[in-house]
Amino acid sequence: MTFADPADAAGTPGATALEARGLGKRYRRGWALRDCSFRLPAGRICGLVGPNGAGKSTLLGLATRLVTPTEGELRIFGVPVDDPAAMPRFAFLSQDKPLFKRFTVAETLRMGSELNPGWDTAAAERIVRSGNVPLHAKVGTLSGGQRTRVAFALAFGKRPDLLLLDEPMADLDPLARDEMGSLLMSEAVERGTTVVMSSHMLSELEDMCDYLLVVADGRIRMAGDTEELVPAHTLVTGLAPDGTQPADLTPHTVVEFRLQGRQFRALLRPNGPLAPDWEISEPSLEEILLAHLRTPGAEPLYTHEARVQAEGIAAA
Amino acid sequence: MSTTTLTEQPRTGQPAKKPGLLHGLTWLVLRQHRTTSWIVVALTVLGAAAIIYERGAMADMLAGMGWPDKDVSLQNAPQSYEYIAEALGALPVVLAVFIGAPLIASDQEHGTAHLVTTQSVPRRRWLAAKLAWCLSLVLVATVVLSTLFSWWWEPYRDLLLSEWLSGSVFDNTGPMLAALSLFLTMSGIAIGMLLRRVLPAMLGTFFFALVVQVAWGQFRHLLGSPHIIKWPLNADTPAMVNSSDIVETDRWVGSADGQLYPWSTCVEQTEKASDACVKEHGIVDNVVEYFGYPQMPGMQWTGAALLLGATAAVAVFVLWWTSRRPL
């Protein structure tokens, strides 16, 4: 089931890269994230999906110690995030990709080597060179795409076991986006790095991710392996003569129900047989995500792997 | 400061090449603040050169007037002395506003605080390195300048017309310039950290520093306890009372039993009326309350100790705050 052999990165196969238990963060205006419990196995490329303000950035902030949790705990490869021992294990790339503008590219990479015990100079320089970014150029003079490349080099040079990306491609032109996407995939696959990537580009996620974490209104709505999540859903079309939800739908979990004239279209998680007069099709990942984002009230869905067992996985 | 102390073992086959003498956080902090360091060093050298040159010019001028053999009295202190004393008086505020306030606020505003604190070094160590750099720079600059200024002022203090307890002397010599600068800079750092934006931090620090400077001016004479001198009402004023060594803080007239009256009690239109008043109150002495020059170092070190204690308290607060919550 694993995408890449996680043994290199995580030490033990089948390890958990990220595990949240009852995680919550309250700001003055209210809860940004609440009751967040999930498990992300090592070696996965995980998409973090949700509308703006859903809690994605808060979750990434909690994982990178930039936000302190109000309740619950978060572990990176079994190490609590507030333990300094967790720091070398992750790298973080935020959307605005802050860098020291007056540093040259070489100095930026030197900073990586000075502050990180496991620094990989060769990898960082290779990423920078392959984009033809001059090492002696000041970071402030680089284009957006070049700067992103330097930020990627800094992140990968750290040799993280877990790479956390907050909308990494959002401000890139299509060419740079494509380039960074393949760079990310090749580096991650080569090392078995676990990646958590928030994005609004559903097609991008569909191409790259084999694991999903869907967040809305500060709560987890769906978590698990894409290959299990998609078949758990069915798209049905049928007649709704009186304009209300037909009774046949009741046994199933209805994620989204939409009326179009006398017809209805519903995304279900079927529980048992479906009515014979419905037209059934398999939804795409994008359709499932859109349905969940439109109706945040749907019952959360966790695959077995993503669920946090009560007795804990510390022994696993 | 080396990051190698953090690691269990390097996870790469070959350890990273590290050219140069500086490593880890020391390198990062010095590189990030390279320009600031050079500007402060350059201004310090310039200020030191100006003091040395102007002191020489003043010595030549006084030698030309025959001092110290002849009694020379200057109408005013030389302009250059006034300017430099004023500049030194403003130095603590300038350092606090331009170096202290942006130290953390700038990294918070530009996101580089997030960049550094998501590497493998705990944020408290990074901040400690930044504080160490900033406070050392302030300390070196102010110690150099105040030492030179003391060297200028001390031999000529009889001629330079300013009381030693006035701000332009007391706060610019001995340990005071360094202590005031360190306290205001450290406060600026804390204000910047709390406000998280450079411009508000600089403004906030500026007003805070002004308030501190004014309050300090009110507080200065509380650093020591004044002495008292008495002499008979009709005797000549002792030479000491008129010398520049003492700073008179109050003057009374007193009766034989030690009762003090305001100095103007028996200032009357006619001598007759005055005499009657003196007789009526039984006034026999002139009484002057003063600080003597030998008290100056003690008062300066007391003040410096208070300010340095406050500086340490603010530094501990900043480090405690950042270990509790992210920047």
Side-chain angles (χ1 to χ4, degrees):
Chain A
M1 280 299 277
T2 46
F3 186 83
D5 181 12
D8 298 349
T12 47
T16 300
L18 197 61
E19 185 193 8
R21 280 168 181 274
L23 192 65
K25 173 65 190 177
R26 188 177 55 203
Y27 291 108
R28 241 169 272 158
R29 61 182 181 276
W31 288 92
L33 197 67
R34 197 154 194 200
D35 286 339
C36 179
S37 299
F38 67 89
R39 215 167 78 81
L40 168 63
R44 299 310 192 90
I45 310 285
C46 172
L48 181 56
V49 194
N52 285 329
K56 303 189 301 288
S57 294
T58 302
L59 181 57
L60 290 173
L62 287 163
T64 51
R65 300 158 46 104
L66 296 175
V67 175
T68 329
T70 310
E71 58 179 32
E73 64 162 1
L74 186 61
R75 287 169 178 266
I76 292 180
F77 291 100
V79 184
V81 285
D82 56 353
D83 183 339
M87 298 192 74
R89 308 208 66 170
F90 70 82
F92 177 54
L93 204 56
S94 63
Q95 192 187 338
D96 46 354
K97 301 170 197 83
L99 292 170
F100 288 108
K101 293 203 170 53
R102 292 205 205 93
F103 281 30
T104 63
V105 174
E107 284 168 337
T108 304
L109 297 187
R110 171 150 183 213
M111 177 185 76
S113 82
E114 298 286 359
L115 300 187
N116 295 294
W119 182 255
D120 187 340
T121 309
E125 287 187 355
R126 188 183 66 235
I127 292 172
V128 167
R129 288 230 170 80
S130 66
N132 290 320
V133 183
L135 277 171
H136 57 270
K138 296 258 190 225
V139 168
T141 64
L142 300 179
S143 70
Q146 288 176 315
R147 209 174 300 176
T148 303
R149 189 172 274 276
V150 174
F152 262 91
L154 198 58
F156 275 111
K158 196 177 172 182
R159 294 209 99 186
D161 299 326
L162 174 64
L163 183 58
L164 301 153
L165 308 165
D166 195 358
E167 297 183 36
M169 324 278 193
D171 55 350
L172 296 181
D173 64 57
L175 195 63
R177 180 189 293 266
D178 182 58
E179 230 177 87
M180 289 303 134
S182 28
L183 175 68
L184 171 64
M185 292 309 280
S186 62
E187 294 286 335
V189 170
E190 191 184 321
R191 300 232 186 96
T193 313
T194 313
V195 177
V196 177
M197 179 169 84
S198 81
S199 177
H200 288 306
M201 306 292 292
L202 297 183
S203 56
E204 191 175 276
L205 291 170
E206 193 156 11
D207 289 347
M208 297 168 90
C209 301
D210 59 351
Y211 210 83
L212 276 178
L213 213 48
V214 181
V215 191
D217 287 350
R219 287 170 194 269
I220 302 276
R221 300 301 168 183
M222 203 159 65
D225 197 311
T226 320
E227 308 211 324
E228 287 179 56
L229 288 177
V230 175
H233 293 86
T234 305
L235 200 57
V236 297
T237 316
L239 282 177
D242 52 355
T244 56
Q245 195 163 320
D248 295 353
L249 281 172
T250 323
H252 312 293
T253 307
V254 181
V255 177
E256 190 186 33
F257 178 83
R258 294 209 285 182
L259 278 168
Q260 290 163 336
R262 282 162 47 77
Q263 275 205 325
F264 76 89
R265 210 173 128 84
L267 185 78
L268 308 179
R269 292 179 205 145
N271 298 314
L274 299 166
D277 56 332
W278 290 343
E279 202 179 298
I280 295 166
S281 61
E282 192 178 313
S284 70
L285 178 61
E286 194 167 337
E287 281 169 313
I288 294 173
L289 289 175
L290 281 174
H292 279 85
L293 297 184
R294 277 193 292 254
T295 47
E299 191 189 314
L301 175 65
Y302 290 81
T303 65
H304 174 72
E305 266 186 319
R307 198 175 291 280
V308 175
Q309 272 82 24
E311 68 275 13
I313 57 109
Chain B
M1 282 291 163
S2 166
T3 53
T4 49
T5 51
L6 267 178
T7 171
E8 346 53 278
Q9 77 220 35
R11 277 184 284 169
T12 49
Q14 67 258 68
K17 244 193 329 194
K18 294 194 173 179
L21 290 167
L22 297 167
H23 291 307
L25 286 169
T26 321
W27 174 82
L28 175 66
V29 169
L30 287 176
R31 172 59 194 92
Q32 190 194 347
H33 301 291
R34 192 167 64 188
T35 316
T36 314
S37 303
W38 282 120
I39 290 173
V40 171
V41 167
L43 288 180
T44 307
V45 169
L46 222 71
I51 292 176
I52 292 169
Y53 174 81
E54 294 297 346
R55 183 187 189 271
M58 194 176 91
D60 289 347
M61 180 190 80
L62 289 171
M65 294 164 84
W67 192 83
D69 305 328
K70 267 198 269 177
D71 206 8
V72 171
S73 76
L74 299 175
Q75 286 300 309
N76 296 305
Q79 281 267 286
S80 55
Y81 172 84
E82 298 282 354
Y83 284 148
I84 287 173
E86 261 173 50
L88 288 183
L91 187 64
V93 182
V94 171
L95 290 172
V97 169
F98 289 97
I99 299 182
L103 186 73
I104 301 176
S106 166
D107 282 308
Q108 288 172 316
E109 184 170 330
H110 296 115
T112 42
H114 286 183
L115 174 70
V116 177
T117 55
T118 51
Q119 305 302 315
S120 305
V121 176
R123 58 180 175 262
R124 190 153 48 119
R125 283 192 43 213
W126 176 54
L127 271 203
K130 277 175 90 84
L131 291 190
W133 164 79
C134 180
L135 297 180
S136 316
L137 190 68
V138 167
L139 182 69
V140 169
T142 51
V143 163
V144 167
L145 291 173
S146 70
T147 306
L148 285 171
F149 187 75
S150 308
W151 168 72
W152 184 359
W153 171 78
E154 220 285 333
Y156 302 106
R157 61 195 168 84
D158 291 339
L159 303 171
L160 285 170
L161 301 167
S162 30
E163 287 179 347
W164 61 258
L165 195 54
S166 70
S168 72
V169 176
F170 191 86
D171 292 348
N172 287 347
T173 56
M176 279 302 305
L177 187 65
L180 258 178
S181 302
L182 288 173
F183 172 66
L184 289 181
T185 305
M186 193 61 234
S187 305
I189 294 171
I191 290 169
M193 179 188 76
L194 296 176
L195 295 182
R196 314 173 65 88
R197 290 280 176 275
V198 174
L199 205 61
M202 288 171 82
L203 281 172
T205 304
F206 178 70
F207 287 113
F208 175 80
L210 283 193
V211 168
V212 169
Q213 292 275 43
V214 169
W216 183 254
Q218 305 295 311
F219 177 75
R220 218 177 280 129
H221 68 277
L222 300 176
L223 291 170
S225 36
H227 297 313
I228 286 198
I229 182 172
K230 293 182 181 185
W231 69 94
L233 200 56
N234 298 320
D236 288 337
T237 308
M240 191 197 102
V241 175
N242 290 329
S243 89
S244 66
D245 270 1
I246 75 150
V247 175
E248 189 177 311
T249 55
D250 215 339
R251 185 181 278 248
W252 292 287
V253 285
S255 60
D257 57 2
Q259 177 103 36
L260 296 177
Y261 298 95
W263 184 76
S264 58
T265 304
C266 290
V267 179
E268 301 287 348
Q269 292 281 326
T270 63
E271 203 170 315
K272 208 172 152 197
S274 292
D275 288 346
C277 169
V278 165
K279 200 165 255 172
E280 185 198 330
H281 292 96
I283 288 169
V284 292
D285 283 331
N286 281 303
V287 182
V288 161
E289 191 189 68
Y290 70 98
F291 289 108
Y293 183 59
Q295 287 179 276
M296 183 178 177
M299 289 169 73
Q300 282 189 322
W301 281 104
T302 310
L306 288 175
L307 287 170
L308 292 176
T311 308
V314 179
V316 167
F317 164 74
V318 166
L319 292 176
W320 168 79
W321 180 271
T322 49
S323 56
R324 267 185 73 243
R325 62 184 71 210
L327 285 170

